[in-house]
Amino acid sequence: MSEYSERLFEVAQLAHAELLTPDLKRTLWFFKDLLGLQESGRRGDSVYLRAYEDYYHHTLKVTAAQTAGLGHVAWRTTSPQALERRSRALEASGLGEGWNEGDLGHGRAYRFRTPDGHKMELFWDVDYFNAPPERKTRLRNRPEKRPLHGVPVRRLDHINLLASDVAQQEAFMRDRLGFRVRENIKLRNGTTAGTWMSVSALVHELAFMGDRTGAKGRLHHLCYWYGYPQHLADISDVFKENGVQIEAGPGKHGISQAYFLYVFEPGGNRVELFGDSGYLIFDPDWKTITWGEDELDAGIIWYGSSLPAEYFMYGTPAVQKPKEATAASTGA
Amino acid sequence: MSEYSERLFEVAQLAHAELLTPDLKRTLWFFKDLLGLQESGRRGDSVYLRAYEDYYHHTLKVTAAQTAGLGHVAWRTTSPQALERRSRALEASGLGEGWNEGDLGHGRAYRFRTPDGHKMELFWDVDYFNAPPERKTRLRNRPEKRPLHGVPVRRLDHINLLASDVAQQEAFMRDRLGFRVRENIKLRNGTTAGTWMSVSALVHELAFMGDRTGAKGRLHHLCYWYGYPQHLADISDVFKENGVQIEAGPGKHGISQAYFLYVFEPGGNRVELFGDSGYLIFDPDWKTITWGEDELDAGIIWYGSSLPAEYFMYGTPAVQKPKEATAASTGA
Amino acid sequence: MSEYSERLFEVAQLAHAELLTPDLKRTLWFFKDLLGLQESGRRGDSVYLRAYEDYYHHTLKVTAAQTAGLGHVAWRTTSPQALERRSRALEASGLGEGWNEGDLGHGRAYRFRTPDGHKMELFWDVDYFNAPPERKTRLRNRPEKRPLHGVPVRRLDHINLLASDVAQQEAFMRDRLGFRVRENIKLRNGTTAGTWMSVSALVHELAFMGDRTGAKGRLHHLCYWYGYPQHLADISDVFKENGVQIEAGPGKHGISQAYFLYVFEPGGNRVELFGDSGYLIFDPDWKTITWGEDELDAGIIWYGSSLPAEYFMYGTPAVQKPKEATAASTGA
Amino acid sequence: MSEYSERLFEVAQLAHAELLTPDLKRTLWFFKDLLGLQESGRRGDSVYLRAYEDYYHHTLKVTAAQTAGLGHVAWRTTSPQALERRSRALEASGLGEGWNEGDLGHGRAYRFRTPDGHKMELFWDVDYFNAPPERKTRLRNRPEKRPLHGVPVRRLDHINLLASDVAQQEAFMRDRLGFRVRENIKLRNGTTAGTWMSVSALVHELAFMGDRTGAKGRLHHLCYWYGYPQHLADISDVFKENGVQIEAGPGKHGISQAYFLYVFEPGGNRVELFGDSGYLIFDPDWKTITWGEDELDAGIIWYGSSLPAEYFMYGTPAVQKPKEATAASTGA
């Protein structure tokens, strides 16, 4: 018993993500008019958004850019002390990039890159959203009234990134930041094809899947949460009638048990909507569930809509598809 | 920033609860035939049960007794080291009762009482449920197949206890064990009428509400989780047709946003079924949401079925109702 | 077998209803902004509305008036010949009022009154809604796109009227117009306290309940249909946050198995929202299900939210409550 | 107006269907243990079943046979007089086969074949199911309690047949029996590739789709109704864990707006489960919605799971697949 290695409790949550878009206007239409996100600020080429049950200033920063893709991912630590400790650990890893002065909605942040090159940051000080009187609700644990337009998502859920070496990403996030590896996929050749990690009861706030194009630092998708299956049907109706391309879903993943819907926002980034809670993990000594290559059919789709071959190839920024990629392969 | 008090991460989860029943046979019918719990063992006057997505040996121990009520509540710590540290903290509190040798399904446990007298224990070593071949499922994150009888609940969610002094309970669990106070109710006279606490992203694994009868150590209810609203409709049908008394629901609480259903199992204990996820808390610096006396209508019922006056009085073991209790009062 | 009395198939459907409101502006806000009805025309003091899956020009006519209440109820016949036959039958009944020239959205109509004085009409010629190009959907059996505002209802469902003599209304609608009596309530004293009638597979397009105030010709409620339980939760959120009074629900009636929600639109009329399909009747020889006085608890509420005493008294136009009415009585 | 052709109201409903199975034992396991059908009788090689909200003696007759397929389809007329009239019309059509003495659960029936050879019958006299005391429910419009095993379906919904000449079937059912053609598919070459017909507010109790194998008289699927989307998720879980092959779904058809799930019962017949109400038709003068070849993608799948190529080829009894059939073709 004395040898049990105690876990880190240093990163608390996915705080926000920044998406790049070549079509800022239509990307905002997608997130605001269809998904009911609220605008909480603008600065330079960026617009800051949040869902009606997000507590902070924003959970999404949309920035005009030449191509779609990931700007950065921000994590809030469990304490200011944890922020200091993690910044030192990241610095020691060689992937730290130092402190910045913060942004609209939060204080100073420590920047770093994953081994694959995704930009990330940690911070502690944050601005809470404070609804103007006409948007305040009597439901005191809800930051503001449920919007009356679109099919409004409730909160940011997780982010999924493509990486050339998934095992390396997994080890980095686990060892340096305390993420627990909840589920992963191991191919027969020993490669880790995907990993789902979390710092909370969620199965994942962060996932990595193998990027078979050989590219680095790409985004697979960002996910907002509904929590009720019906809302995936409602928003599917809306997407079909308003020219938004549904890639896959609604359907149920085996891995994470997520009831999913994948669409492309007009800027080209893939967005997931989450229609239930999947399952939650409270076991402090969770043993990673490893799916083998011959179990993947149930792991990827438990029931409902299947995933097209493109799901395993396309990310942002988009890259040329390599010749060896085949539709039949779904392992990464 | 240097003054920020870092949180304890020592208690991981509600592991199980023991209910006492004067009608073991019919209590088992309720949990097994209607709610789909599976039996995992018997010892003496006790039967051990678990839901199909509970990972450990059991989450419910039902013990034959003269009257209904709470046997004990068991928490799993985040590590064996945390167990040692918390046992010392409890011992120092004067409410520790020492170690026992464990029970079917888990190892040695440290026993203590809350200030109000509820029996609790902490443990680390636990037996995982291992399904026999015919009950194994290809959904590898699910411990066994979904049962084919009843409307099966998925996992244990939380427990709600009555206490003569809620504020005292709240402080004890917060300070000695690291529970965060997510929401509470404060009356005009300064009394804390209810408190909802958790050690995870759930709004509560543990709640206390004021016991207006003056009794001590009583149970208000134990809650199992469905996660889907439809299942509260399904099980309501089943309860109405099989002679189980629905006390209230389905309806939506403001506090915790729980979509609830309350029933009495045949032994007399109140059981809640949870039909969605409410909201989840990831903010590491969550500020307790305090509901005032004039906000309680929205806090107690956001929409749907109201709660009868008995809801605020009845607990197990049942006691004589004091003369001063009135149906109009809902504050505690 | 030769004695079997063949049914009339002369009335096809509830085509529209007219509501009177003393607050036209806010009544329109309720129906348009919250329930997603679309405006299809204005004439005089009236505004014409329809839900996005209503096929005709309108299903609701809202007319400014001194007090809330029912304008009229309109039924479409199964053929032009049926319209002629029914007009003659109504004329023979002594309750016919002759032909009018029609209204926006439909052709000539035969007006009549129920024995209790509710204004009704029958017509055949109708204008179909034709969506402008930007509102057309690729879902060809849907008249237009699902709206992006509010929680949009899908179609008109039924109307429920108060009457001083329910049995008399029931006989009139059955014998003169061919309504089938699907369910009713008979009190011990022989009085029919409520009746649910239809001309289609729905359990009711029309109900009458006893008006214990002694008033005549009043409206109990008009109902629009969602068809999905989640939408009652969604619209409940919206109502709670936007100052609309929820009278009762969500809950499940035994009679008709309707999953219901009752609210008051700002003009004072009660509106029901229907969250599933209840059950449907295809048996051509359906025997009326008669609920006795001691079965009413299950008949009125199968599970979920109960009904307040006011539910059985309040209608529009509102009248003084008679002294003998008591909260405990739910029979009519 | 005088030229308007009045509709027939002579056929009331789909009363039951007979399925043939080469594996009676496992077919019964599927319908009874998983879908919660109740057995109401046995005779010879046949077992009679009904869902818990089916009112008659049975809605499904399962008969042991060499190969899977359709036994017969039975319709109840709107009156005994209608039965006589329709028997004469069928006799005149040359497809009548005369009267039989009835079967367990219903009286004398008039047998006929569709032009494609599917056996059908019409009857009037029927036995109502009468629950034994322990299965009676207080919900008086429900024939018996909701079963406690499986994920119980509520009632029979519709049947879908393959035919070599769909237009011929459509005309026969419309002209001889009064079915309304609600939706159909017309290919560029003028062929009717599918038709959906009903005698009630349902979009269809009967559909025909083109049989591209050239075979005659085959079954595509039989459908039972849940009415709630969640139940398709629940039963999908059950199917995945119990070795039942899900062919497609859950997903939403454009045509009929049905929320569907298709599976193969162990005997090989395709069974559909219906998870909502689709839309209902009350317009007495409904104009057939005709989907063109280039609109079929939205018509066949509005959102959710797609259909495999086999969906358009496989029926029972199974036949050799012709060489010209291709996966890309979805028109029939």
Side-chain angles (χ1 to χ4, degrees):
Chain A
M1 202 158 75
S2 61
E3 297 171 42
Y4 184 86
S5 174
E6 293 196 77
R7 314 283 171 171
L8 290 175
F9 294 97
E10 303 267 88
V11 175
Q13 67 180 139
L14 173 61
H16 65 255
E18 182 187 16
L19 293 188
L20 309 179
T21 174
D23 189 345
L24 182 61
K25 186 179 168 189
R26 294 194 64 237
T27 293
L28 290 176
W29 164 81
F30 172 83
F31 282 113
K32 294 171 68 175
D33 291 16
L34 304 191
L35 298 188
L37 292 197
Q38 309 275 9
E39 184 175 325
S40 49
R42 295 198 177 215
R43 179 185 281 181
D45 288 331
S46 297
V47 181
Y48 299 76
L49 303 168
R50 45 177 287 292
Y52 73 103
E53 290 195 350
D54 282 330
Y55 294 99
Y56 303 156
H57 176 270
H58 66 275
T59 50
L60 180 62
K61 179 181 180 178
V62 181
T63 299
Q66 290 287 340
T67 58
L70 177 71
H72 72 280
V73 181
W75 306 95
R76 194 174 180 210
T77 59
T78 56
S79 68
Q81 295 91 332
L83 175 59
E84 299 304 320
R85 288 190 295 265
R86 286 312 103 203
S87 68
R88 290 193 295 270
L90 290 165
E91 198 175 347
S93 76
L95 288 164
E97 300 197 328
W99 295 92
N100 65 30
E101 288 309 297
D103 194 357
L104 265 187
H106 67 87
R108 65 196 279 268
Y110 188 84
R111 279 282 172 123
F112 63 101
R113 283 181 189 262
T114 67
D116 205 69
H118 307 92
K119 291 184 195 169
M120 293 191 175
E121 68 185 14
L122 296 179
F123 67 81
W124 169 253
D125 286 312
V126 74
D127 294 341
Y128 285 83
F129 171 73
N130 189 13
E134 70 278 9
R135 284 164 62 186
K136 282 198 194 304
T137 165
R138 293 174 61 223
L139 185 56
R140 301 197 60 242
N141 46 41
R142 179 179 286 173
E144 68 172 320
K145 288 181 185 173
R146 174 193 173 103
L148 280 175
H149 57 280
V151 181
V153 293
R154 292 173 64 187
R155 62 163 172 78
L156 180 62
D157 192 81
H158 69 261
I159 194 161
N160 185 313
L161 304 171
L162 292 171
S164 49
D165 182 337
V166 170
Q168 184 188 31
Q169 301 295 110
E170 183 182 88
F172 175 77
M173 298 303 292
R174 181 189 64 213
D175 299 341
R176 301 289 169 170
L177 294 168
F179 280 73
R180 281 83 159 171
V181 183
R182 305 312 198 169
E183 306 198 34
N184 59 20
I185 297 173
K186 296 242 183 182
L187 303 184
R188 284 189 199 94
N189 64 13
T191 306
T192 301
T195 186
W196 287 259
M197 291 178 285
S198 73
V199 290
S200 76
L202 298 183
V203 174
H204 66 313
E205 294 102 8
L206 176 63
F208 289 99
M209 299 197 302
D211 194 328
R212 289 185 286 169
T213 66
K216 293 206 166 198
R218 294 206 299 159
L219 169 71
H220 191 268
H221 67 263
L222 182 70
C223 178
Y224 274 86
W225 189 71
Y226 281 118
Y228 295 104
Q230 180 63 42
H231 294 153
L232 294 197
D234 296 344
I235 195 68
S236 291
D237 246 3
V238 165
F239 288 152
K240 291 289 284 189
E241 294 185 331
N242 289 279
V244 173
Q245 186 195 343
I246 296 176
E247 183 187 33
K252 184 93 175 172
H253 287 308
I255 294 168
S256 85
Q257 294 190 25
Y259 188 61
F260 66 83
L261 182 73
Y262 295 100
V263 297
F264 298 108
E265 56 87 13
N269 296 296
R270 185 189 281 104
V271 172
E272 182 183 0
L273 289 318
F274 201 146
D276 59 6
S277 302
Y279 71 102
L280 299 176
I281 298 176
F282 304 102
D283 179 357
D285 194 28
W286 182 258
K287 279 82 177 173
T288 303
I289 289 175
T290 296
W291 298 75
E293 205 160 339
D294 55 357
E295 302 167 311
L296 278 187
D297 59 331
I300 290 172
I301 297 296
W302 183 235
Y303 56 77
S305 170
S306 58
L307 299 177
E310 276 298 303
Y311 179 86
F312 301 98
M313 294 299 299
Y314 180 84
T316 46
V319 294
Q320 286 298 109
K321 202 185 303 185
K323 288 196 183 71
E324 66 270 26
T326 66
S329 168
T330 57
Chain B
M1 201 158 74
S2 61
E3 297 170 42
Y4 184 86
S5 174
E6 292 197 76
R7 315 282 171 169
L8 291 175
F9 294 97
E10 303 266 87
V11 175
Q13 67 179 138
L14 174 61
H16 65 254
E18 182 188 15
L19 293 187
L20 310 180
T21 174
D23 189 346
L24 182 61
K25 186 179 168 190
R26 295 194 62 237
T27 293
L28 290 176
W29 164 81
F30 172 85
F31 282 113
K32 293 171 67 174
D33 290 16
L34 305 191
L35 298 188
L37 292 197
Q38 309 275 10
E39 185 174 324
S40 48
R42 296 198 176 214
R43 178 185 281 180
D45 289 331
S46 298
V47 180
Y48 299 76
L49 304 168
R50 45 176 288 292
Y52 73 102
E53 291 195 350
D54 283 329
Y55 293 98
Y56 302 155
H57 175 271
H58 67 274
T59 51
L60 179 62
K61 178 181 181 179
V62 181
T63 300
Q66 290 285 341
T67 58
L70 177 71
H72 72 280
V73 182
W75 306 94
R76 193 173 181 211
T77 58
T78 55
S79 67
Q81 294 92 331
L83 175 58
E84 298 305 320
R85 289 189 295 265
R86 286 312 103 204
S87 68
R88 290 193 295 271
L90 290 165
E91 197 175 348
S93 76
L95 288 163
E97 300 198 329
W99 295 93
N100 66 28
E101 288 309 299
D103 194 357
L104 266 188
H106 67 87
R108 66 196 279 268
Y110 188 84
R111 278 284 172 122
F112 63 102
R113 282 181 190 261
T114 68
D116 204 68
H118 308 90
K119 290 184 196 169
M120 293 190 174
E121 68 184 15
L122 296 179
F123 67 81
W124 169 252
D125 286 313
V126 74
D127 294 341
Y128 287 82
F129 170 74
N130 190 12
E134 70 279 9
R135 285 164 62 187
K136 283 199 194 301
T137 164
R138 293 174 62 222
L139 185 56
R140 301 198 60 242
N141 46 41
R142 179 179 285 173
E144 68 172 320
K145 288 181 185 173
R146 173 194 174 103
L148 280 175
H149 58 280
V151 181
V153 293
R154 292 173 64 188
R155 64 163 170 77
L156 180 63
D157 191 82
H158 69 261
I159 194 162
N160 183 313
L161 304 171
L162 292 170
S164 49
D165 183 337
V166 170
Q168 185 187 32
Q169 301 295 110
E170 182 183 89
F172 175 78
M173 299 302 291
R174 181 189 64 211
D175 300 342
R176 300 290 169 170
L177 294 168
F179 280 74
R180 282 83 158 170
V181 183
R182 304 311 198 171
E183 306 198 34
N184 60 20
I185 298 173
K186 296 243 181 179
L187 304 184
R188 287 191 197 93
N189 65 13
T191 306
T192 301
T195 187
W196 287 260
M197 291 177 285
S198 72
V199 291
S200 77
L202 298 182
V203 175
H204 66 311
E205 295 102 8
L206 176 63
F208 289 99
M209 299 198 300
D211 194 326
R212 290 185 285 170
T213 66
K216 294 206 165 198
R218 295 205 299 158
L219 169 72
H220 192 268
H221 67 262
L222 183 70
C223 179
Y224 274 87
W225 189 70
Y226 280 117
Y228 295 104
Q230 181 62 41
H231 295 153
L232 294 197
D234 296 344
I235 195 68
S236 290
D237 247 4
V238 165
F239 288 153
K240 291 290 285 189
E241 294 186 331
N242 289 280
V244 173
Q245 186 195 342
I246 295 176
E247 183 187 34
K252 184 92 174 172
H253 286 308
I255 295 168
S256 85
Q257 294 191 27
Y259 188 60
F260 66 83
L261 181 72
Y262 294 101
V263 297
F264 298 108
E265 56 88 12
N269 296 296
R270 185 189 281 104
V271 172
E272 182 183 0
L273 289 317
F274 202 146
D276 59 7
S277 302
Y279 70 103
L280 299 175
I281 298 176
F282 304 102
D283 179 357
D285 194 27
W286 181 258
K287 279 81 177 175
T288 303
I289 289 176
T290 297
W291 298 75
E293 205 161 339
D294 55 358
E295 301 167 311
L296 278 186
D297 59 332
I300 290 172
I301 297 296
W302 182 235
Y303 57 75
S305 171
S306 58
L307 299 177
E310 276 299 303
Y311 180 86
F312 302 97
M313 295 299 299
Y314 179 84
T316 45
V319 294
Q320 285 300 107
K321 200 185 303 184
K323 288 196 184 71
E324 67 270 28
T326 67
S329 167
T330 57
Chain C
M1 202 157 75
S2 61
E3 298 171 41
Y4 184 85
S5 174
E6 293 197 76
R7 314 283 172 170
L8 290 175
F9 294 99
E10 303 266 88
V11 175
Q13 67 177 140
L14 174 61
H16 65 255
E18 181 187 17
L19 293 187
L20 309 180
T21 174
D23 190 346
L24 182 62
K25 187 179 167 189
R26 295 194 62 238
T27 293
L28 290 176
W29 164 80
F30 172 85
F31 282 113
K32 293 171 67 174
D33 290 16
L34 305 191
L35 298 189
L37 292 198
Q38 310 275 11
E39 185 174 325
S40 48
R42 296 199 176 213
R43 178 185 281 181
D45 289 330
S46 298
V47 180
Y48 299 76
L49 304 167
R50 46 177 287 293
Y52 74 103
E53 291 195 349
D54 282 329
Y55 293 98
Y56 302 156
H57 176 270
H58 66 275
T59 51
L60 180 62
K61 178 181 180 179
V62 181
T63 299
Q66 289 286 341
T67 58
L70 176 71
H72 72 281
V73 181
W75 306 96
R76 193 173 181 210
T77 58
T78 54
S79 67
Q81 295 90 333
L83 175 58
E84 300 303 321
R85 289 190 294 264
R86 285 311 105 204
S87 69
R88 290 193 295 270
L90 290 165
E91 197 175 346
S93 77
L95 289 164
E97 300 197 330
W99 295 93
N100 65 29
E101 289 308 299
D103 194 357
L104 267 187
H106 67 87
R108 66 197 280 269
Y110 188 83
R111 278 282 172 122
F112 63 102
R113 284 181 188 262
T114 68
D116 205 67
H118 307 91
K119 290 184 198 169
M120 293 191 174
E121 68 185 17
L122 296 180
F123 67 81
W124 169 253
D125 285 313
V126 73
D127 294 341
Y128 286 83
F129 171 73
N130 189 13
E134 70 279 9
R135 284 163 63 188
K136 282 199 194 303
T137 166
R138 293 174 61 223
L139 186 55
R140 299 197 61 243
N141 47 40
R142 179 179 285 172
E144 68 172 321
K145 287 181 185 173
R146 175 193 171 103
L148 280 174
H149 58 281
V151 182
V153 293
R154 291 172 64 188
R155 64 163 171 76
L156 179 63
D157 192 80
H158 69 261
I159 194 161
N160 183 314
L161 304 172
L162 292 171
S164 49
D165 183 338
V166 170
Q168 185 188 31
Q169 303 295 110
E170 183 182 88
F172 175 77
M173 298 303 290
R174 181 190 63 213
D175 299 342
R176 301 289 171 171
L177 293 167
F179 281 74
R180 281 83 158 170
V181 183
R182 304 311 199 170
E183 305 198 35
N184 60 20
I185 298 173
K186 295 243 182 179
L187 304 184
R188 285 189 199 92
N189 64 13
T191 306
T192 301
T195 186
W196 287 260
M197 290 177 285
S198 72
V199 290
S200 76
L202 298 182
V203 174
H204 66 313
E205 295 102 8
L206 176 63
F208 289 98
M209 300 197 300
D211 194 328
R212 290 185 286 169
T213 67
K216 293 206 166 197
R218 295 205 300 159
L219 170 71
H220 191 269
H221 67 261
L222 182 70
C223 179
Y224 274 88
W225 189 71
Y226 280 118
Y228 295 105
Q230 181 62 41
H231 294 153
L232 295 197
D234 296 345
I235 195 68
S236 291
D237 246 4
V238 165
F239 288 152
K240 290 291 283 190
E241 294 186 332
N242 289 281
V244 173
Q245 187 195 343
I246 295 176
E247 184 187 35
K252 184 92 175 172
H253 286 307
I255 294 168
S256 84
Q257 295 192 27
Y259 188 60
F260 66 83
L261 181 73
Y262 294 100
V263 297
F264 298 107
E265 56 87 11
N269 295 297
R270 186 188 281 104
V271 172
E272 182 182 2
L273 289 318
F274 202 146
D276 60 5
S277 303
Y279 71 103
L280 299 175
I281 299 176
F282 304 103
D283 179 357
D285 194 26
W286 182 258
K287 280 83 178 173
T288 302
I289 290 176
T290 296
W291 298 74
E293 203 160 340
D294 55 357
E295 301 167 311
L296 278 186
D297 59 332
I300 290 173
I301 298 296
W302 182 235
Y303 57 75
S305 171
S306 58
L307 299 177
E310 276 298 304
Y311 179 86
F312 301 98
M313 296 298 299
Y314 180 83
T316 45
V319 294
Q320 285 300 108
K321 200 185 304 185
K323 288 196 184 69
E324 67 270 27
T326 67
S329 168
T330 57
Chain D
M1 201 158 74
S2 60
E3 298 172 41
Y4 184 85
S5 173
E6 291 197 76
R7 314 283 172 170
L8 290 175
F9 294 97
E10 303 266 89
V11 175
Q13 67 180 139
L14 174 61
H16 64 255
E18 181 188 17
L19 293 187
L20 309 180
T21 174
D23 190 345
L24 182 62
K25 186 179 167 188
R26 295 194 63 237
T27 293
L28 289 176
W29 164 81
F30 173 84
F31 283 113
K32 294 172 68 174
D33 291 15
L34 305 190
L35 298 188
L37 292 198
Q38 310 275 10
E39 184 175 325
S40 48
R42 295 197 177 215
R43 179 185 282 181
D45 289 331
S46 299
V47 181
Y48 299 76
L49 303 168
R50 44 176 289 290
Y52 74 101
E53 291 195 350
D54 281 329
Y55 294 98
Y56 303 155
H57 176 271
H58 66 275
T59 51
L60 179 63
K61 179 181 180 178
V62 182
T63 299
Q66 289 286 342
T67 58
L70 176 72
H72 72 280
V73 182
W75 306 94
R76 194 173 181 213
T77 58
T78 55
S79 67
Q81 295 90 333
L83 176 58
E84 299 304 321
R85 288 190 294 264
R86 285 311 103 203
S87 69
R88 290 193 295 271
L90 290 165
E91 197 175 348
S93 77
L95 288 163
E97 300 197 330
W99 295 92
N100 66 29
E101 289 308 298
D103 193 357
L104 266 187
H106 67 88
R108 65 196 280 268
Y110 188 84
R111 278 282 173 125
F112 63 102
R113 284 182 188 259
T114 67
D116 205 68
H118 307 92
K119 291 184 197 169
M120 294 192 174
E121 68 185 14
L122 295 180
F123 67 80
W124 169 252
D125 286 312
V126 73
D127 294 341
Y128 286 82
F129 171 72
N130 189 14
E134 70 279 9
R135 284 164 64 188
K136 283 198 193 301
T137 166
R138 293 175 61 223
L139 185 56
R140 301 196 61 244
N141 46 40
R142 179 179 286 172
E144 68 170 322
K145 288 182 184 173
R146 175 194 172 102
L148 280 174
H149 58 280
V151 181
V153 293
R154 292 172 65 188
R155 62 164 172 75
L156 180 61
D157 192 80
H158 68 262
I159 194 161
N160 183 314
L161 304 172
L162 292 170
S164 50
D165 182 339
V166 171
Q168 184 188 32
Q169 302 295 110
E170 183 182 88
F172 175 76
M173 298 303 291
R174 180 189 64 212
D175 300 340
R176 301 289 170 172
L177 293 168
F179 280 74
R180 281 82 159 172
V181 183
R182 305 312 200 170
E183 306 198 34
N184 60 21
I185 297 173
K186 296 243 183 180
L187 304 184
R188 285 190 200 92
N189 65 12
T191 306
T192 301
T195 185
W196 287 259
M197 291 177 284
S198 73
V199 291
S200 76
L202 299 182
V203 174
H204 65 313
E205 295 103 8
L206 176 63
F208 289 98
M209 300 197 302
D211 194 328
R212 290 185 285 168
T213 66
K216 294 206 165 198
R218 295 205 299 158
L219 169 71
H220 191 269
H221 67 262
L222 182 70
C223 179
Y224 274 87
W225 190 71
Y226 281 118
Y228 295 104
Q230 180 62 41
H231 295 153
L232 294 197
D234 296 345
I235 195 68
S236 290
D237 246 3
V238 165
F239 288 151
K240 290 291 284 190
E241 293 185 332
N242 289 281
V244 173
Q245 187 195 343
I246 295 176
E247 183 188 34
K252 184 93 174 171
H253 287 307
I255 294 168
S256 84
Q257 295 191 24
Y259 188 61
F260 66 83
L261 182 72
Y262 294 100
V263 298
F264 297 107
E265 56 88 12
N269 296 296
R270 185 188 282 105
V271 173
E272 182 183 1
L273 290 318
F274 202 147
D276 60 5
S277 303
Y279 70 104
L280 299 176
I281 298 176
F282 303 103
D283 179 357
D285 194 28
W286 182 258
K287 280 82 178 174
T288 302
I289 290 176
T290 296
W291 298 75
E293 204 160 339
D294 55 358
E295 301 167 311
L296 277 187
D297 60 331
I300 290 172
I301 297 296
W302 181 234
Y303 57 75
S305 170
S306 58
L307 298 178
E310 275 299 303
Y311 179 84
F312 302 98
M313 295 299 298
Y314 180 83
T316 45
V319 294
Q320 284 300 107
K321 200 185 305 185
K323 288 196 183 71
E324 67 270 27
T326 67
S329 169
T330 57

